[in-house]
Structures are given as structure tokens and as C-alpha cells.
Amino acid sequence: MQTKLQFYIFSIAALLFSCNSNPNAPFNDTPTSGKVAIAADETLSPLVQAELDTFHGLYRYANVNLSYKQETELFKALVNDSVKVIIASRRLRTDEEAYFKSRHLIPVTTKIAIDALALIVNRENSDSLLMISQLKDILSGKTNSWQQISPASKLNDIAFVFDNKGSSTVRFLQDSLLNGNPFPANCFAVNTNKEVLEYVEKNKNAIGVIGLSWISDHDDSRVIDFLSRIKVMALTDKANPIPEDYVKPYQAYVALKQYPLTREVYMINREGRAGLGTGFVSFVAGDAGQRIIRLSGLLPATMPVRIINTN
């Protein structure tokens, strides 16, 4: 059965297929044709792939060569000009801006979405509520046992697993919760978000952190499969919370700023002209691209999200 997102993709592809550009244009590429290399943060790959599949469906002469990288490698690729556009969860740093300025280049940064980090645990773990203060204690090494969080827990040492040592996840948690300090020994990396999910599924004492787009589209069969194998934790940043204060990383709670681990997503374009990279950025930031973000369960940057209160 097609998901809502797939239905939308195929619908607009059928309506706009005739919008393809002439491949014999005077430049090597145009906003809708030619070739370009871009790179994206691996934590955002389900969302980015949905955007790219739609773009390629609409513009048959466009060939966007997409690679997924950890955050440190992502910005290196932009600086050394091996890619023209990156999709990342931070803006350029001051030193990176200075480098481009020295080369007489002004990369254009476009905010496209608000993302979140999700904490996941094994399905046999009875503890699925966590305060941000408790998360800080885990990441700083003050808390290393499940009994310190819940004395009734039957689990022992906590294993905290993230995707990659150079990932945006590591940088975000260190900057926002640890003032840049390193993680303790019981926090370690695998390679990808998928491997984080697999590790948590197999280890009862684990906490994993992944990008929200891996589990946000509840109409996607892959997401349903992932959610059947793990549990998503509910978080709160309140000091003395009641059960109702804990929320999961659902789109509505991200929109209302009630979920504490949120971050912005940007497309950074160093192309400097109206080429295919610029065309793809315009597509993602435009109406069609923003609808895909909304249907994927993230918060679009420019499109309102309807929030329904139920009793």
C-alpha cells in the first residue's frame, strides 16, 4: 500500500512531468537539468531521499549525485568544493565563513526544517520517561546505572550509543548539554542510525539517539518496522515533572516547542549561480518540498502545521 508521501510524490510527478528543461541548454546545468554533487547529514537521510526521489521524478534531465556523510566530513566536502550543496543541522561557523569570504564566495544558507533527536530503548526496558537533567547526568558520567534512574529497574549498566564520532548528534549533545565536554566510556559510536536501532533492539540496557526522520513517518512501512522493534522515550526539561509533562518527538510537540531536543536543518549552497544545486534548494524550500517535510513528520520551515487538540 502506498504511503501518503508516496501518493503525493506520484501525484505531483504526474502533474508536473512536462516541466522538464531542455538538456541542450548553453550551460552544463540549469536549475532543473544537468549534473551536480551534493551531500547530506546521514541522520537526515530518510527525509533527504524523499525530497530527491520527488525532484528526480519531476525533472528527468536532472542528475543530483547525493552522498551521505557525518557532519565533520560534510563541511569539509563543502569547503574543498567536492560538493556544491550540503544539508546539515548547523550553519557555517565563523572560520568557515571567513574562508569562503577569502575566496570571494558567499554561500547561501536556507532553513528548510526543524528536526529533533529521538532517544530509543529496548522494548523490554520498563523505563521510557527521562528528564533532560537525567540525560545530562548520563552523558557526563554521573549516572551509569539504570537503578540510579529507577531503583526498581532490573537492568544494570547503561550503554549509550550514537551513530558516529563525527556526527551532528555528538556535536549537538556535547554543545547543548555538556558545554563541549567529552562523553564517558559507556557512551560509544557505531556507524549509522540504522546500526543504532539494531544495537538497541538487541541490548536491553542500551539507550540510542537517532535523527527523528528515521521514525517520524508513521505511514512508512520501514518506520512501522523500526517502531515495532524499539521504544521511543518521552522527555521533559521540567525540574519536577508530572507524567503529562513528558512528550515524545511528535510533530505537534516540536511545533509547540515542548520537546526539548530540537534543531534546525539548513541547505548551504556555494554554487554561486542558478545551477542544478540551486534548483534543488529552491525545490526543497518551496511548496512541494515543504509538503514532503510535513508529510514526513518533521516541521517544515515555511509551511504551517495544523495542530488538533483532542480530549
Side-chain angles (χ1 to χ4, degrees):
M1 180 178 294
Q2 293 180 344
T3 66
K4 289 187 295 185
L5 179 57
Q6 288 173 322
F7 178 79
Y8 175 74
I9 290 171
F10 294 143
S11 296
I12 60 176
L15 288 172
L16 301 179
F17 183 73
S18 61
C19 295
N20 295 290
S21 297
N22 184 350
N24 297 316
F27 297 103
N28 289 332
D29 64 303
T30 74
T32 57
S33 68
K35 296 181 180 180
V36 71
I38 72 171
D41 189 322
E42 191 269 337
T43 65
L44 302 167
S45 61
L47 170 65
V48 176
Q49 197 62 52
E51 295 280 7
L52 184 57
D53 289 346
T54 308
F55 187 77
H56 279 157
L58 294 172
Y59 305 109
R60 61 178 176 175
Y61 298 121
N63 183 3
V64 179
N65 183 8
L66 171 64
S67 59
Y68 295 108
K69 300 179 184 293
Q70 60 187 33
E71 186 177 81
T72 52
E73 296 301 319
L74 196 62
F75 282 85
K76 286 181 183 178
L78 187 70
V79 167
N80 67 27
D81 200 23
S82 60
V83 299
K84 295 298 184 183
V85 177
I86 63 172
I87 304 173
S89 62
R90 71 167 175 86
R91 295 177 178 269
L92 291 171
R93 297 193 307 254
T94 301
D95 61 312
E96 293 163 341
E97 290 180 337
Y99 169 80
F100 284 113
K101 186 176 181 180
S102 72
R103 299 288 303 275
H104 305 289
L105 295 170
I106 304 176
V108 178
T109 300
T110 304
K111 179 181 172 182
I112 60 167
I114 298 177
D115 182 32
L117 296 181
L119 298 184
I120 58 175
V121 292
N122 187 276
R123 292 197 67 81
E124 295 187 33
N125 191 335
S126 59
D127 295 312
S128 58
L129 305 179
L130 197 68
M131 298 164 57
I132 289 297
S133 59
Q134 292 173 316
L135 177 59
K136 288 181 180 179
D137 287 344
I138 293 170
L139 296 178
S140 64
K142 294 179 181 178
T143 296
N144 53 36
S145 170
W146 282 104
Q147 283 86 4
Q148 291 175 269
I149 296 174
S150 175
S153 176
K154 297 180 180 180
L155 302 176
N156 295 313
D157 295 340
I158 296 172
F160 194 95
V161 59
F162 45 87
D163 54 337
N164 196 289
K165 291 182 179 179
S167 77
S168 59
T169 300
V170 171
R171 189 262 311 161
F172 178 88
L173 292 175
Q174 287 181 325
D175 289 353
S176 61
L177 300 181
L178 299 181
N179 295 318
N181 292 318
F183 295 136
N186 66 322
C187 298
F188 59 93
V190 282
N191 290 297
T192 66
N193 280 249
K194 184 178 179 182
E195 290 183 30
V196 173
L197 284 156
E198 291 170 347
Y199 184 91
V200 170
E201 180 187 8
K202 297 174 183 177
N203 293 272
K204 297 178 182 180
N205 64 329
I207 301 178
V209 56
I210 59 174
L212 177 57
S213 66
W214 283 85
I215 56 170
S216 59
D217 184 358
H218 289 220
D219 291 318
D220 189 323
S221 60
R222 293 167 299 180
V223 169
I224 295 172
D225 176 60
F226 286 149
L227 292 174
S228 70
R229 293 154 50 191
I230 51 88
K231 289 198 296 187
V232 179
M233 301 194 83
L235 307 180
T236 182
D237 55 6
K238 295 186 178 181
N240 298 295
I242 59 176
E244 290 75 16
D245 293 328
Y246 293 89
V247 296
K248 292 185 178 182
Y250 297 147
Q251 192 177 57
Y253 295 128
V254 173
L256 294 171
K257 300 181 180 181
Q258 294 177 0
Y259 186 76
L261 298 181
T262 60
R263 58 185 186 173
E264 297 180 339
V265 180
Y266 305 96
M267 297 184 79
I268 305 176
N269 179 10
R270 62 164 291 162
E271 199 167 47
R273 64 179 184 84
L276 183 57
T278 300
F280 184 56
V281 173
S282 298
F283 171 79
V284 176
D287 182 73
Q290 292 292 288
R291 287 180 184 274
I292 291 171
I293 291 171
R294 179 175 62 81
L295 290 172
S296 296
L298 273 65
L299 190 67
T302 61
M303 178 178 291
V305 175
R306 185 182 181 191
I307 299 173
I308 301 174
N309 292 321
T310 58
N311 295 323

